[in-house]
Amino acid sequence: MTLAKIEPLFQAKLNQLQQQGVRKGDEKIVSGVLPPSDGLGPRYRLQGYNDRAFLRMNSNSYLGLAQHPAVISAETRAVEEFGAGPGAVRFISGTYAPHVELERRLAAFHGREAAMLFSAAYATMVGVLPQLISEQTMVISDALNHNCIISAIRLAHPAAKAIYKHGDMLELESILSANRDRYQRVCVVTDGIFSMRGDHAPLAELDACCTKYQSDYPEGIVTLVDDSHGIGAIGLSGRGTEEVTGVQADVLVATLGKAFGVNGGYVVASATTIAYLRETAPLYIYSNPITPAEAAAALAALDILESDEGLGLLEKLRHFSQKLRNGLQQIGFETLTGEHPIVPIFIRDTARTAALVAHLFDHNILATGLNYPVVPQGDQEIRLQVSAEHTEKDLDYLLEVLGCFNN
């Protein structure tokens, strides 16, 4: 056996990605975390740069709970009690008490009848969406939906699919109207928070549109929202896009790996829907769950989010997100209004985006540049992500370094 014939094709693809400026290259390896000191938040050591300490502005850990003592302690105790791993898929012998309790708590947190854990949010979407789609289902998707939704639609092989312009409810309505009586069922799927921009889906308008055409499809219209970047990041109580818009989706997917600071994904819905998914979703049936210790850590994170401490972290996150947006505008950068801690800087040029990422790195700041084709041509950006573990001094330093680049 040999890869000799196919490896030149692999190398050609790598060269193409390099020429396009989108090859990710070697990953930076975190080798240590320095605790907060002198009014600064945590700093991160990178392998090969051990004499430098970096401010991390590209983390999804919005509430800083990955470093919270109660979360770490809960995981440690559970490892000692249950061991390091689940040992099997859940229907064989891999379901532990922390899994069941976490599902119960997540369902209650989202005001749903039931919840179901997966190994990751990506696995959740790819596991759930195809089970909601039959051979007579049309899928309708927002143009800026995450790659997990795109992959899930491809895997599902729906009867038809349509894409509406980002957030364009008039186009969604046009699609639903034009396809009346052509399909048994429609599934409308969208991100809650769009990960590249930090804006949210207009769920109230989307729900009203779907309700208007519900009777035109024999099996109805199902709404599925992935709010992985919304839960624990927006809303007065951290319940995400649904809280902000006042509307619940039929099926909600989210993650434990961002604001909760742990690992894993989950879905909440009606009891019947979750029971159906447990019997049909391959990525649940044939994959190990998150570890019992990760489930225990997520329970501790949920306890914090539902406490006065959690409300304080959310308020801090809102304040810092607004501070960064105001500061960017004052020094002449283009961004979006909003309350989410994803704060994009639109550079709209590939070379200048790369130059700004390098400038920030030279000043010990980690940030992510997004270039075409990851984002549309002309929408090249730096995606900054605020965390409650940041401090006023951290953001002041970030804005100072950005100001030097823009002047």
Side-chain angles (χ1 to χ4, degrees), residues 122-139:
Y122 200 110
T124 309
M125 180 57 70
V126 174
V128 168
L129 181 57
Q131 308 315 312
L132 303 177
I133 295 172
S134 71
E135 294 179 351
Q136 295 178 309
T137 300
M138 181 181 197
V139 179

Side-chain angles (χ1 to χ4, degrees), residues 26-70:
D26 295 335
E27 299 166 357
K28 292 182 172 61
I29 302 170
V30 176
S31 58
V33 182
L34 304 178
S37 64
D38 300 324
L40 300 175
R43 290 298 187 269
Y44 292 79
R45 298 285 196 192
L46 298 183
Q47 186 172 302
Y49 302 90
N50 284 336
D51 59 332
R52 297 168 63 181
F54 291 85
L55 169 62
R56 190 164 65 161
M57 296 301 306
N58 57 357
S59 168
N60 298 323
S61 185
Y62 296 119
L63 296 178
L65 295 183
Q67 302 294 329
H68 196 288

